[in-house]
Amino acid sequence: MSNLPQGAGDPTGRYVRHPNGHVAPMSPFTDVWRWHVTMTASILFRVTIGAATVGAVLLLGWVAAVAAGPEAYAKIAACSASPFGLFIWFGLSLVVFSFLLNGARHLINDAGKGLDLKSANLMANIAVWGPLVVTVLFWVVLFAAGKVSL
């Protein structure tokens, strides 16, 4: 096939001839692949890594405030209890639940299980939508128990 001109002998049209003469499959981002939930789960897992880095910096700031004394800690506690602080805490809890569910998905896949299409789709959907559901339920419980208020 490498000696054929573009499209010749290839009814799918999925091969191209590069300027250097090399015939190769087209990029998966053109006509070959379609968007899939497993791709979403993978991308979101990488996004949560960046968000966890932000959370680690905030945790480091909290530890520094504890070490600096009661006045600095009171400022951090007031910021955390503000609507913006609660929004940040909501996001960080979303990151934690995403890590847990995506981590479980990866652990199952690493054991060689759940690799068939049906299982992979189910676990990817759980990894994409589950963190949002669990986070909302978690915060509903926190508000209902009076642990958090606006």
Side-chain angles (χ1 to χ4, degrees):
M1 169 162 255
S2 62
N3 294 328
L4 300 174
Q6 180 179 353
D10 174 30
T12 65
R14 293 182 177 166
Y15 291 88
V16 295
R17 181 176 298 279
H18 292 283
N20 65 1
H22 178 70
V23 175
M26 288 175 42
S27 169
F29 297 108
T30 53
D31 294 334
V32 179
W33 300 103
R34 63 180 174 82
W35 193 257
H36 201 264
V37 69
T38 54
M39 300 161 98
T40 305
S42 180
I43 291 167
L44 285 177
F45 190 59
R46 284 156 178 76
V47 169
T48 58
I49 292 170
T53 304
V54 172
V57 169
L58 292 174
L59 181 64
L60 184 61
W62 178 80
V63 169
V66 169
E71 190 175 304
Y73 179 75
K75 289 179 183 177
I76 290 292
C79 183
S80 291
S82 72
F84 179 70
L86 291 176
F87 176 75
I88 297 298
W89 281 114
F90 179 87
L92 290 176
S93 58
L94 182 65
V95 167
V96 167
F97 291 127
S98 180
F99 264 128
L100 288 173
L101 292 175
N102 251 312
R105 180 177 72 95
H106 280 272
L107 187 63
I108 291 167
N109 289 157
D110 289 346
K113 308 288 185 204
L115 297 174
D116 61 283
L117 188 59
K118 186 177 179 182
S119 298
N121 288 340
L122 175 64
M123 289 191 304
N125 273 306
I126 291 170
V128 168
W129 300 109
L132 185 59
V133 172
V134 174
T135 302
V136 168
L137 291 173
F138 175 73
W139 280 88
V140 165
V141 169
L142 285 179
F143 275 100
K147 301 292 182 183
V148 177
S149 64
L150 288 174

